[in-house]
Structures are given as structure tokens and as C-alpha cells.
Amino acid sequence: MSTLFAHHQHRSSADPPQLTYLVAGMTCEHCRIAVTEEVAKVAGVAAVEVHLDTKLVHIHGAGVDAAAVVAAIDEAGYDAVAE
């Protein structure tokens, strides 16, 4: 299942994500934590949703740089494809 959290303000699941990525290879809680922690460091990110069942990562925030998010996911050890 998914968990919503970030080091910033928590967003309601009713708020549409600003960015969504397909991140193949995520299979476990360690994967979820690694991706969430790296993406949460990106400027403007307010919340991160990682769904292991669908392999989707939803990013909420204002003015988030898409290239910085892809770099953060890469830093966590995964490849991201924009949805």
C-alpha cells in the first residue's frame, strides 16, 4: 500500500499531484523509503506518494523542477518515466 509523507507540509489526497512518474523496480518498503526521502529533498516538494503496487510516484508541491525529481529518483537507484 502507499504511505504519504515528506519532510514538508502534508497534503490531502484530494489535492492533485503536480508530477507523476512510473518508477519500475520498486518492490518493497526499502524502495518506498529510498525514493520518498530523495524526492522530499527537492525544492518545492510538499508531499510524496509512492505506490508500490502501481509503481507510481506522485509529487505534490509548487514550482517543483521535474529534472530535479528525476535526478533524485536516480540518486535513490531507480529510473523514472514521466506519466
Short mmCIF file of all heavy atoms in Angstrom, two decimals:
data_model
loop_
_atom_site.label_atom_id
_atom_site.label_comp_id
_atom_site.label_asym_id
_atom_site.label_seq_id
_atom_site.Cartn_x
_atom_site.Cartn_y
_atom_site.Cartn_z
N MET A 1 0.84 -1.17 0.00
CA MET A 1 0.00 0.00 0.00
C MET A 1 0.88 1.23 0.00
O MET A 1 2.07 1.16 0.15
CB MET A 1 -0.90 -0.04 1.23
CG MET A 1 -2.14 0.73 1.08
SD MET A 1 -3.09 -0.09 -0.20
CE MET A 1 -4.49 0.83 -0.31
N SER A 2 0.32 2.38 -0.12
CA SER A 2 1.10 3.60 -0.17
C SER A 2 1.12 4.30 1.17
O SER A 2 0.27 4.07 2.01
CB SER A 2 0.53 4.55 -1.22
OG SER A 2 -0.73 5.01 -0.79
N THR A 3 2.10 5.14 1.32
CA THR A 3 2.20 5.96 2.50
C THR A 3 2.48 7.39 2.04
O THR A 3 3.29 7.60 1.17
CB THR A 3 3.34 5.49 3.40
OG1 THR A 3 3.08 4.15 3.77
CG2 THR A 3 3.46 6.35 4.63
N LEU A 4 1.80 8.35 2.63
CA LEU A 4 2.01 9.75 2.31
C LEU A 4 2.88 10.36 3.39
O LEU A 4 2.55 10.30 4.55
CB LEU A 4 0.68 10.51 2.32
CG LEU A 4 -0.26 10.27 1.19
CD1 LEU A 4 -1.63 10.84 1.54
CD2 LEU A 4 0.25 10.90 -0.06
N PHE A 5 4.03 10.90 2.99
CA PHE A 5 4.80 11.68 3.93
C PHE A 5 5.93 12.39 3.22
O PHE A 5 6.32 12.03 2.15
CB PHE A 5 5.32 10.87 5.10
CG PHE A 5 6.51 9.99 4.80
CD1 PHE A 5 7.79 10.43 5.09
CD2 PHE A 5 6.35 8.75 4.26
CE1 PHE A 5 8.88 9.63 4.83
CE2 PHE A 5 7.43 7.94 4.00
CZ PHE A 5 8.70 8.38 4.29
N ALA A 6 6.37 13.42 3.81
CA ALA A 6 7.52 14.17 3.33
C ALA A 6 8.02 14.98 4.51
O ALA A 6 7.41 14.99 5.57
CB ALA A 6 7.15 15.08 2.16
N HIS A 7 9.11 15.65 4.31
CA HIS A 7 9.67 16.46 5.38
C HIS A 7 9.00 17.82 5.45
O HIS A 7 9.36 18.65 6.25
CB HIS A 7 11.18 16.64 5.17
CG HIS A 7 11.90 15.33 5.19
ND1 HIS A 7 12.30 14.74 6.35
CD2 HIS A 7 12.27 14.51 4.20
CE1 HIS A 7 12.91 13.60 6.07
NE2 HIS A 7 12.90 13.44 4.77
N HIS A 8 8.02 18.02 4.58
CA HIS A 8 7.34 19.30 4.49
C HIS A 8 5.87 19.12 4.85
O HIS A 8 5.48 18.11 5.40
CB HIS A 8 7.47 19.85 3.06
CG HIS A 8 8.89 19.95 2.60
ND1 HIS A 8 9.76 20.90 3.06
CD2 HIS A 8 9.60 19.17 1.75
CE1 HIS A 8 10.94 20.72 2.50
NE2 HIS A 8 10.87 19.68 1.71
N GLN A 9 5.08 20.07 4.46
CA GLN A 9 3.65 20.08 4.73
C GLN A 9 2.97 18.85 4.12
O GLN A 9 3.21 18.49 2.99
CB GLN A 9 3.11 21.37 4.13
CG GLN A 9 1.65 21.52 4.12
CD GLN A 9 1.28 22.77 3.34
OE1 GLN A 9 1.01 22.69 2.16
NE2 GLN A 9 1.31 23.90 3.98
N HIS A 10 2.07 18.23 4.88
CA HIS A 10 1.30 17.09 4.40
C HIS A 10 0.14 17.61 3.55
O HIS A 10 -0.55 18.54 3.92
CB HIS A 10 0.77 16.30 5.59
CG HIS A 10 -0.06 15.12 5.20
ND1 HIS A 10 0.48 13.99 4.68
CD2 HIS A 10 -1.39 14.92 5.25
CE1 HIS A 10 -0.48 13.12 4.44
NE2 HIS A 10 -1.63 13.67 4.77
N ARG A 11 -0.08 17.00 2.40
CA ARG A 11 -1.17 17.40 1.52
C ARG A 11 -2.29 16.39 1.59
O ARG A 11 -2.06 15.21 1.80
CB ARG A 11 -0.68 17.46 0.07
CG ARG A 11 0.32 18.55 -0.20
CD ARG A 11 -0.44 19.84 -0.35
NE ARG A 11 0.49 20.90 -0.64
CZ ARG A 11 0.29 21.80 -1.56
NH1 ARG A 11 -0.79 21.80 -2.28
NH2 ARG A 11 1.17 22.75 -1.75
N SER A 12 -3.48 16.83 1.35
CA SER A 12 -4.63 15.94 1.28
C SER A 12 -4.56 15.14 -0.01
O SER A 12 -4.10 15.63 -1.03
CB SER A 12 -5.91 16.78 1.29
OG SER A 12 -7.00 16.01 0.87
N SER A 13 -5.00 13.90 0.03
CA SER A 13 -5.01 13.08 -1.18
C SER A 13 -5.98 13.65 -2.21
O SER A 13 -5.96 13.25 -3.36
CB SER A 13 -5.36 11.64 -0.84
OG SER A 13 -6.63 11.58 -0.25
N ALA A 14 -6.83 14.61 -1.80
CA ALA A 14 -7.74 15.25 -2.73
C ALA A 14 -7.01 16.27 -3.61
O ALA A 14 -7.48 16.62 -4.68
CB ALA A 14 -8.87 15.94 -1.98
N ASP A 15 -5.84 16.75 -3.17
CA ASP A 15 -5.05 17.67 -3.97
C ASP A 15 -4.42 16.89 -5.12
O ASP A 15 -3.78 15.87 -4.90
CB ASP A 15 -3.92 18.30 -3.15
CG ASP A 15 -4.43 19.22 -2.07
OD1 ASP A 15 -5.57 19.71 -2.19
OD2 ASP A 15 -3.68 19.46 -1.11
N PRO A 16 -4.58 17.37 -6.37
CA PRO A 16 -3.98 16.64 -7.48
C PRO A 16 -2.45 16.74 -7.44
O PRO A 16 -1.90 17.78 -7.06
CB PRO A 16 -4.53 17.35 -8.72
CG PRO A 16 -4.89 18.72 -8.24
CD PRO A 16 -5.28 18.56 -6.80
N PRO A 17 -1.75 15.66 -7.81
CA PRO A 17 -0.29 15.73 -7.82
C PRO A 17 0.18 16.66 -8.92
O PRO A 17 -0.46 16.78 -9.96
CB PRO A 17 0.14 14.29 -8.09
CG PRO A 17 -1.04 13.63 -8.72
CD PRO A 17 -2.25 14.35 -8.19
N GLN A 18 1.30 17.33 -8.68
CA GLN A 18 1.87 18.20 -9.69
C GLN A 18 2.60 17.36 -10.73
O GLN A 18 2.55 17.64 -11.92
CB GLN A 18 2.83 19.20 -9.07
CG GLN A 18 3.46 20.12 -10.10
CD GLN A 18 4.41 21.11 -9.49
OE1 GLN A 18 4.61 21.15 -8.30
NE2 GLN A 18 5.04 21.90 -10.32
N LEU A 19 3.30 16.33 -10.28
CA LEU A 19 4.07 15.47 -11.16
C LEU A 19 3.81 14.01 -10.81
O LEU A 19 3.65 13.68 -9.64
CB LEU A 19 5.57 15.75 -11.01
CG LEU A 19 6.04 17.17 -11.32
CD1 LEU A 19 7.47 17.35 -10.84
CD2 LEU A 19 5.92 17.47 -12.79
N THR A 20 3.82 13.15 -11.82
CA THR A 20 3.66 11.71 -11.60
C THR A 20 4.69 10.98 -12.45
O THR A 20 4.89 11.31 -13.62
CB THR A 20 2.24 11.24 -11.99
OG1 THR A 20 1.29 11.91 -11.16
CG2 THR A 20 2.10 9.74 -11.80
N TYR A 21 5.34 10.00 -11.84
CA TYR A 21 6.36 9.20 -12.53
C TYR A 21 6.09 7.72 -12.33
O TYR A 21 5.65 7.30 -11.27
CB TYR A 21 7.75 9.51 -11.97
CG TYR A 21 8.19 10.91 -12.28
CD1 TYR A 21 7.93 11.94 -11.38
CD2 TYR A 21 8.83 11.22 -13.46
CE1 TYR A 21 8.30 13.23 -11.65
CE2 TYR A 21 9.21 12.53 -13.74
CZ TYR A 21 8.93 13.53 -12.84
OH TYR A 21 9.30 14.81 -13.13
N LEU A 22 6.42 6.94 -13.36
CA LEU A 22 6.43 5.50 -13.27
C LEU A 22 7.86 5.12 -12.92
O LEU A 22 8.81 5.52 -13.61
CB LEU A 22 6.04 4.86 -14.61
CG LEU A 22 6.09 3.34 -14.66
CD1 LEU A 22 5.10 2.73 -13.68
CD2 LEU A 22 5.82 2.87 -16.07
N VAL A 23 8.03 4.39 -11.82
CA VAL A 23 9.36 4.02 -11.34
C VAL A 23 9.41 2.50 -11.22
O VAL A 23 9.00 1.92 -10.22
CB VAL A 23 9.68 4.70 -10.00
CG1 VAL A 23 11.09 4.33 -9.54
CG2 VAL A 23 9.54 6.21 -10.12
N ALA A 24 9.88 1.85 -12.28
CA ALA A 24 9.98 0.39 -12.30
C ALA A 24 11.05 -0.05 -11.30
O ALA A 24 11.99 0.68 -11.01
CB ALA A 24 10.33 -0.09 -13.70
N GLY A 25 10.89 -1.23 -10.79
CA GLY A 25 11.90 -1.80 -9.90
C GLY A 25 11.62 -1.61 -8.42
O GLY A 25 12.29 -2.21 -7.60
N MET A 26 10.65 -0.78 -8.07
CA MET A 26 10.31 -0.62 -6.66
C MET A 26 9.45 -1.81 -6.24
O MET A 26 8.41 -2.05 -6.83
CB MET A 26 9.52 0.67 -6.43
CG MET A 26 10.25 1.93 -6.72
SD MET A 26 9.31 3.41 -6.22
CE MET A 26 7.74 3.19 -7.05
N THR A 27 9.91 -2.54 -5.23
CA THR A 27 9.19 -3.75 -4.83
C THR A 27 8.93 -3.86 -3.33
O THR A 27 8.15 -4.71 -2.92
CB THR A 27 9.98 -5.01 -5.26
OG1 THR A 27 11.26 -4.97 -4.64
CG2 THR A 27 10.13 -5.08 -6.77
N CYS A 28 9.59 -3.01 -2.53
CA CYS A 28 9.50 -3.23 -1.08
C CYS A 28 9.50 -1.90 -0.32
O CYS A 28 9.61 -0.83 -0.90
CB CYS A 28 10.67 -4.09 -0.61
SG CYS A 28 12.28 -3.26 -0.81
N GLU A 29 9.38 -2.01 0.98
CA GLU A 29 9.36 -0.84 1.86
C GLU A 29 10.66 -0.04 1.75
O GLU A 29 10.65 1.19 1.76
CB GLU A 29 9.11 -1.28 3.30
CG GLU A 29 8.94 -0.16 4.28
CD GLU A 29 7.67 0.66 4.06
OE1 GLU A 29 6.81 0.30 3.24
OE2 GLU A 29 7.55 1.71 4.72
N HIS A 30 11.78 -0.72 1.62
CA HIS A 30 13.07 -0.02 1.45
C HIS A 30 13.04 0.84 0.20
O HIS A 30 13.50 1.98 0.21
CB HIS A 30 14.23 -1.02 1.37
CG HIS A 30 15.52 -0.35 1.07
ND1 HIS A 30 15.99 -0.21 -0.21
CD2 HIS A 30 16.43 0.24 1.88
CE1 HIS A 30 17.14 0.44 -0.18
NE2 HIS A 30 17.43 0.72 1.07
N CYS A 31 12.49 0.32 -0.89
CA CYS A 31 12.37 1.08 -2.14
C CYS A 31 11.53 2.34 -1.91
O CYS A 31 11.90 3.43 -2.34
CB CYS A 31 11.71 0.23 -3.21
SG CYS A 31 12.53 -1.29 -3.64
N ARG A 32 10.39 2.16 -1.25
CA ARG A 32 9.49 3.28 -0.99
C ARG A 32 10.17 4.37 -0.18
O ARG A 32 10.11 5.55 -0.50
CB ARG A 32 8.22 2.80 -0.27
CG ARG A 32 7.17 3.92 -0.11
CD ARG A 32 6.07 3.53 0.84
NE ARG A 32 6.54 3.26 2.18
CZ ARG A 32 6.94 4.21 3.06
NH1 ARG A 32 6.94 5.46 2.71
NH2 ARG A 32 7.34 3.87 4.26
N ILE A 33 10.87 3.95 0.86
CA ILE A 33 11.56 4.91 1.72
C ILE A 33 12.67 5.62 0.97
O ILE A 33 12.81 6.84 1.07
CB ILE A 33 12.09 4.21 2.99
CG1 ILE A 33 10.93 3.78 3.88
CG2 ILE A 33 13.05 5.11 3.76
CD1 ILE A 33 11.32 2.85 5.01
N ALA A 34 13.47 4.88 0.21
CA ALA A 34 14.58 5.48 -0.53
C ALA A 34 14.10 6.54 -1.51
O ALA A 34 14.64 7.66 -1.56
CB ALA A 34 15.38 4.40 -1.26
N VAL A 35 13.07 6.23 -2.27
CA VAL A 35 12.54 7.18 -3.25
C VAL A 35 11.92 8.38 -2.53
O VAL A 35 12.16 9.54 -2.89
CB VAL A 35 11.53 6.50 -4.19
CG1 VAL A 35 10.78 7.52 -5.04
CG2 VAL A 35 12.24 5.48 -5.08
N THR A 36 11.12 8.13 -1.51
CA THR A 36 10.46 9.21 -0.78
C THR A 36 11.47 10.17 -0.17
O THR A 36 11.33 11.39 -0.29
CB THR A 36 9.53 8.64 0.31
OG1 THR A 36 8.56 7.80 -0.31
CG2 THR A 36 8.83 9.75 1.06
N GLU A 37 12.49 9.64 0.48
CA GLU A 37 13.48 10.50 1.13
C GLU A 37 14.24 11.36 0.13
O GLU A 37 14.47 12.54 0.39
CB GLU A 37 14.45 9.67 1.96
CG GLU A 37 13.83 9.13 3.22
CD GLU A 37 14.78 8.29 4.06
OE1 GLU A 37 15.88 7.94 3.58
OE2 GLU A 37 14.40 7.96 5.20
N GLU A 38 14.63 10.79 -1.01
CA GLU A 38 15.37 11.58 -2.00
C GLU A 38 14.49 12.64 -2.64
O GLU A 38 14.90 13.79 -2.80
CB GLU A 38 15.97 10.66 -3.07
CG GLU A 38 17.13 9.83 -2.58
CD GLU A 38 18.30 10.65 -2.05
OE1 GLU A 38 18.59 11.73 -2.59
OE2 GLU A 38 18.94 10.20 -1.08
N VAL A 39 13.27 12.28 -3.03
CA VAL A 39 12.37 13.24 -3.68
C VAL A 39 11.96 14.35 -2.71
O VAL A 39 11.83 15.51 -3.09
CB VAL A 39 11.14 12.53 -4.27
CG1 VAL A 39 10.11 13.53 -4.79
CG2 VAL A 39 11.57 11.57 -5.39
N ALA A 40 11.80 14.03 -1.43
CA ALA A 40 11.40 15.03 -0.43
C ALA A 40 12.45 16.13 -0.28
O ALA A 40 12.12 17.23 0.17
CB ALA A 40 11.15 14.36 0.92
N LYS A 41 13.68 15.87 -0.67
CA LYS A 41 14.76 16.87 -0.59
C LYS A 41 14.69 17.91 -1.70
O LYS A 41 15.33 18.95 -1.61
CB LYS A 41 16.12 16.18 -0.67
CG LYS A 41 16.43 15.26 0.50
CD LYS A 41 17.75 14.56 0.27
CE LYS A 41 18.03 13.49 1.29
NZ LYS A 41 19.28 12.77 0.99
N VAL A 42 13.92 17.65 -2.76
CA VAL A 42 13.84 18.56 -3.90
C VAL A 42 13.06 19.81 -3.51
O VAL A 42 12.00 19.73 -2.89
CB VAL A 42 13.18 17.85 -5.11
CG1 VAL A 42 12.96 18.82 -6.26
CG2 VAL A 42 14.01 16.66 -5.56
N ALA A 43 13.59 20.96 -3.89
CA ALA A 43 12.95 22.24 -3.58
C ALA A 43 11.52 22.29 -4.12
O ALA A 43 11.26 21.90 -5.25
CB ALA A 43 13.75 23.38 -4.18
N GLY A 44 10.60 22.73 -3.27
CA GLY A 44 9.21 22.89 -3.65
C GLY A 44 8.34 21.69 -3.38
O GLY A 44 7.12 21.79 -3.44
N VAL A 45 8.94 20.54 -3.08
CA VAL A 45 8.15 19.32 -2.82
C VAL A 45 7.48 19.44 -1.46
O VAL A 45 8.13 19.68 -0.45
CB VAL A 45 9.02 18.05 -2.89
CG1 VAL A 45 8.24 16.84 -2.39
CG2 VAL A 45 9.53 17.83 -4.30
N ALA A 46 6.15 19.31 -1.46
CA ALA A 46 5.39 19.38 -0.22
C ALA A 46 5.04 17.99 0.30
O ALA A 46 4.94 17.78 1.50
CB ALA A 46 4.11 20.19 -0.43
N ALA A 47 4.83 17.04 -0.61
CA ALA A 47 4.48 15.67 -0.23
C ALA A 47 4.81 14.72 -1.36
O ALA A 47 4.84 15.11 -2.52
CB ALA A 47 3.01 15.57 0.13
N VAL A 48 5.07 13.49 -0.98
CA VAL A 48 5.42 12.43 -1.94
C VAL A 48 4.53 11.23 -1.63
O VAL A 48 4.42 10.82 -0.49
CB VAL A 48 6.90 12.02 -1.80
CG1 VAL A 48 7.24 10.92 -2.78
CG2 VAL A 48 7.83 13.21 -1.97
N GLU A 49 3.92 10.66 -2.66
CA GLU A 49 3.15 9.43 -2.54
C GLU A 49 3.84 8.37 -3.38
O GLU A 49 4.02 8.57 -4.58
CB GLU A 49 1.73 9.59 -3.09
CG GLU A 49 0.87 10.59 -2.38
CD GLU A 49 -0.46 10.71 -3.11
OE1 GLU A 49 -1.13 9.69 -3.33
OE2 GLU A 49 -0.80 11.84 -3.48
N VAL A 50 4.21 7.25 -2.79
CA VAL A 50 4.82 6.14 -3.51
C VAL A 50 3.88 4.95 -3.43
O VAL A 50 3.56 4.49 -2.33
CB VAL A 50 6.21 5.79 -2.92
CG1 VAL A 50 6.79 4.57 -3.62
CG2 VAL A 50 7.16 6.98 -3.03
N HIS A 51 3.46 4.47 -4.58
CA HIS A 51 2.54 3.33 -4.66
C HIS A 51 3.31 2.15 -5.22
O HIS A 51 3.56 2.08 -6.43
CB HIS A 51 1.34 3.66 -5.55
CG HIS A 51 0.56 4.83 -5.07
ND1 HIS A 51 -0.48 4.71 -4.19
CD2 HIS A 51 0.68 6.16 -5.33
CE1 HIS A 51 -0.98 5.91 -3.93
NE2 HIS A 51 -0.30 6.80 -4.60
N LEU A 52 3.66 1.21 -4.36
CA LEU A 52 4.44 0.05 -4.81
C LEU A 52 3.63 -0.84 -5.75
O LEU A 52 4.20 -1.44 -6.67
CB LEU A 52 4.92 -0.76 -3.60
CG LEU A 52 5.93 -0.06 -2.71
CD1 LEU A 52 6.25 -0.93 -1.50
CD2 LEU A 52 7.20 0.28 -3.47
N ASP A 53 2.33 -0.93 -5.55
CA ASP A 53 1.50 -1.81 -6.38
C ASP A 53 1.43 -1.33 -7.83
O ASP A 53 1.44 -2.14 -8.75
CB ASP A 53 0.10 -1.98 -5.79
CG ASP A 53 -0.61 -0.67 -5.52
OD1 ASP A 53 0.05 0.39 -5.43
OD2 ASP A 53 -1.85 -0.69 -5.37
N THR A 54 1.41 -0.03 -8.06
CA THR A 54 1.32 0.51 -9.43
C THR A 54 2.66 1.05 -9.93
O THR A 54 2.77 1.40 -11.10
CB THR A 54 0.30 1.66 -9.50
OG1 THR A 54 0.72 2.72 -8.64
CG2 THR A 54 -1.10 1.18 -9.13
N LYS A 55 3.64 1.14 -9.03
CA LYS A 55 4.98 1.68 -9.35
C LYS A 55 4.92 3.18 -9.68
O LYS A 55 5.79 3.71 -10.34
CB LYS A 55 5.65 0.94 -10.51
CG LYS A 55 5.67 -0.56 -10.38
CD LYS A 55 6.43 -1.02 -9.18
CE LYS A 55 6.53 -2.55 -9.17
NZ LYS A 55 6.37 -3.12 -7.87
N LEU A 56 3.88 3.86 -9.19
CA LEU A 56 3.73 5.29 -9.46
C LEU A 56 4.19 6.12 -8.26
O LEU A 56 3.96 5.75 -7.11
CB LEU A 56 2.28 5.64 -9.79
CG LEU A 56 1.75 5.08 -11.10
CD1 LEU A 56 0.27 5.44 -11.26
CD2 LEU A 56 2.55 5.59 -12.29
N VAL A 57 4.83 7.24 -8.57
CA VAL A 57 5.24 8.21 -7.57
C VAL A 57 4.57 9.52 -7.92
O VAL A 57 4.73 10.03 -9.03
CB VAL A 57 6.78 8.38 -7.55
CG1 VAL A 57 7.19 9.46 -6.57
CG2 VAL A 57 7.46 7.06 -7.23
N HIS A 58 3.78 10.05 -6.98
CA HIS A 58 3.09 11.32 -7.17
C HIS A 58 3.79 12.36 -6.29
O HIS A 58 4.00 12.13 -5.11
CB HIS A 58 1.62 11.22 -6.76
CG HIS A 58 0.84 10.21 -7.54
ND1 HIS A 58 0.54 10.37 -8.87
CD2 HIS A 58 0.31 9.03 -7.16
CE1 HIS A 58 -0.16 9.33 -9.28
NE2 HIS A 58 -0.30 8.49 -8.26
N ILE A 59 4.10 13.51 -6.90
CA ILE A 59 4.77 14.59 -6.18
C ILE A 59 3.82 15.78 -6.11
O ILE A 59 3.27 16.21 -7.12
CB ILE A 59 6.08 15.00 -6.88
CG1 ILE A 59 7.10 13.86 -6.78
CG2 ILE A 59 6.68 16.23 -6.22
CD1 ILE A 59 7.12 12.96 -7.95
N HIS A 60 3.61 16.29 -4.90
CA HIS A 60 2.79 17.48 -4.67
C HIS A 60 3.72 18.62 -4.27
O HIS A 60 4.65 18.42 -3.50
CB HIS A 60 1.79 17.23 -3.53
CG HIS A 60 0.88 16.07 -3.79
ND1 HIS A 60 -0.34 16.21 -4.39
CD2 HIS A 60 1.01 14.75 -3.51
CE1 HIS A 60 -0.93 15.03 -4.48
NE2 HIS A 60 -0.12 14.13 -3.95
N GLY A 61 3.44 19.80 -4.78
CA GLY A 61 4.22 20.97 -4.41
C GLY A 61 4.07 22.06 -5.44
O GLY A 61 3.38 21.90 -6.45
N ALA A 62 4.75 23.14 -5.19
CA ALA A 62 4.69 24.29 -6.10
C ALA A 62 6.08 24.58 -6.66
O ALA A 62 7.06 24.60 -5.92
CB ALA A 62 4.17 25.51 -5.35
N GLY A 63 6.14 24.76 -7.96
CA GLY A 63 7.40 25.11 -8.60
C GLY A 63 8.45 24.01 -8.54
O GLY A 63 9.64 24.29 -8.51
N VAL A 64 8.02 22.76 -8.55
CA VAL A 64 8.95 21.63 -8.47
C VAL A 64 9.61 21.43 -9.83
O VAL A 64 8.93 21.36 -10.85
CB VAL A 64 8.23 20.35 -8.03
CG1 VAL A 64 9.18 19.17 -8.00
CG2 VAL A 64 7.57 20.55 -6.68
N ASP A 65 10.92 21.33 -9.85
CA ASP A 65 11.69 21.11 -11.07
C ASP A 65 11.65 19.63 -11.42
O ASP A 65 12.17 18.79 -10.68
CB ASP A 65 13.13 21.58 -10.85
CG ASP A 65 14.03 21.38 -12.05
OD1 ASP A 65 13.55 20.94 -13.12
OD2 ASP A 65 15.24 21.67 -11.93
N ALA A 66 11.04 19.30 -12.56
CA ALA A 66 10.90 17.90 -12.98
C ALA A 66 12.25 17.21 -13.13
O ALA A 66 12.40 16.04 -12.76
CB ALA A 66 10.10 17.83 -14.28
N ALA A 67 13.24 17.92 -13.66
CA ALA A 67 14.57 17.32 -13.83
C ALA A 67 15.19 16.99 -12.48
O ALA A 67 15.88 15.97 -12.34
CB ALA A 67 15.47 18.26 -14.63
N ALA A 68 14.95 17.83 -11.48
CA ALA A 68 15.47 17.57 -10.14
C ALA A 68 14.81 16.35 -9.52
O ALA A 68 15.47 15.58 -8.81
CB ALA A 68 15.28 18.80 -9.25
N VAL A 69 13.53 16.14 -9.81
CA VAL A 69 12.84 14.96 -9.29
C VAL A 69 13.41 13.70 -9.94
O VAL A 69 13.70 12.72 -9.25
CB VAL A 69 11.32 15.05 -9.53
CG1 VAL A 69 10.63 13.73 -9.20
CG2 VAL A 69 10.71 16.18 -8.72
N VAL A 70 13.61 13.72 -11.25
CA VAL A 70 14.19 12.57 -11.94
C VAL A 70 15.59 12.27 -11.39
O VAL A 70 15.94 11.12 -11.15
CB VAL A 70 14.23 12.80 -13.46
CG1 VAL A 70 15.04 11.71 -14.17
CG2 VAL A 70 12.81 12.85 -14.02
N ALA A 71 16.38 13.32 -11.16
CA ALA A 71 17.72 13.14 -10.59
C ALA A 71 17.64 12.54 -9.19
O ALA A 71 18.46 11.69 -8.82
CB ALA A 71 18.46 14.48 -10.56
N ALA A 72 16.67 12.95 -8.39
CA ALA A 72 16.50 12.41 -7.04
C ALA A 72 16.12 10.94 -7.08
O ALA A 72 16.63 10.13 -6.30
CB ALA A 72 15.44 13.22 -6.28
N ILE A 73 15.24 10.59 -7.99
CA ILE A 73 14.85 9.18 -8.13
C ILE A 73 16.05 8.35 -8.60
O ILE A 73 16.27 7.25 -8.11
CB ILE A 73 13.63 9.04 -9.06
CG1 ILE A 73 12.40 9.68 -8.40
CG2 ILE A 73 13.36 7.57 -9.41
CD1 ILE A 73 11.19 9.81 -9.31
N ASP A 74 16.83 8.91 -9.49
CA ASP A 74 18.06 8.25 -9.95
C ASP A 74 19.03 8.06 -8.77
O ASP A 74 19.64 7.01 -8.63
CB ASP A 74 18.71 9.07 -11.06
CG ASP A 74 19.96 8.42 -11.59
OD1 ASP A 74 19.86 7.31 -12.16
OD2 ASP A 74 21.05 9.00 -11.44
N GLU A 75 19.14 9.08 -7.94
CA GLU A 75 20.01 9.01 -6.75
C GLU A 75 19.58 7.88 -5.81
O GLU A 75 20.40 7.24 -5.16
CB GLU A 75 20.01 10.34 -6.01
CG GLU A 75 20.90 10.41 -4.82
CD GLU A 75 22.40 10.33 -5.13
OE1 GLU A 75 22.80 10.69 -6.26
OE2 GLU A 75 23.16 9.89 -4.26
N ALA A 76 18.27 7.63 -5.77
CA ALA A 76 17.74 6.55 -4.94
C ALA A 76 17.99 5.18 -5.58
O ALA A 76 17.80 4.15 -4.94
CB ALA A 76 16.24 6.74 -4.71
N GLY A 77 18.43 5.18 -6.84
CA GLY A 77 18.77 3.93 -7.51
C GLY A 77 17.74 3.40 -8.49
O GLY A 77 17.77 2.24 -8.86
N TYR A 78 16.85 4.28 -8.95
CA TYR A 78 15.75 3.85 -9.83
C TYR A 78 15.67 4.77 -11.03
O TYR A 78 16.13 5.91 -11.01
CB TYR A 78 14.42 3.86 -9.07
CG TYR A 78 14.48 3.00 -7.85
CD1 TYR A 78 14.83 3.53 -6.62
CD2 TYR A 78 14.24 1.63 -7.92
CE1 TYR A 78 14.93 2.74 -5.49
CE2 TYR A 78 14.34 0.83 -6.80
CZ TYR A 78 14.69 1.38 -5.58
OH TYR A 78 14.80 0.60 -4.48
N ASP A 79 15.02 4.27 -12.09
CA ASP A 79 14.76 5.05 -13.29
C ASP A 79 13.31 5.52 -13.29
O ASP A 79 12.42 4.72 -12.98
CB ASP A 79 15.02 4.23 -14.56
CG ASP A 79 16.50 3.87 -14.70
OD1 ASP A 79 17.35 4.72 -14.44
OD2 ASP A 79 16.78 2.71 -15.08
N ALA A 80 13.10 6.78 -13.64
CA ALA A 80 11.75 7.35 -13.64
C ALA A 80 11.33 7.71 -15.06
O ALA A 80 12.12 8.21 -15.85
CB ALA A 80 11.71 8.60 -12.78
N VAL A 81 10.05 7.46 -15.36
CA VAL A 81 9.45 7.85 -16.62
C VAL A 81 8.25 8.71 -16.27
O VAL A 81 7.37 8.30 -15.50
CB VAL A 81 9.00 6.62 -17.44
CG1 VAL A 81 8.30 7.05 -18.71
CG2 VAL A 81 10.19 5.71 -17.73
N ALA A 82 8.18 9.93 -16.84
CA ALA A 82 7.07 10.84 -16.56
C ALA A 82 5.77 10.24 -17.08
O ALA A 82 5.74 9.64 -18.16
CB ALA A 82 7.31 12.20 -17.19
N GLU A 83 4.71 10.39 -16.30
CA GLU A 83 3.39 9.89 -16.70
C GLU A 83 2.58 11.03 -17.25
O GLU A 83 2.62 12.12 -16.82
CB GLU A 83 2.68 9.30 -15.48
CG GLU A 83 3.19 7.94 -15.12
CD GLU A 83 2.80 6.85 -16.09
OE1 GLU A 83 1.60 6.57 -16.23
OE2 GLU A 83 3.70 6.29 -16.70
#
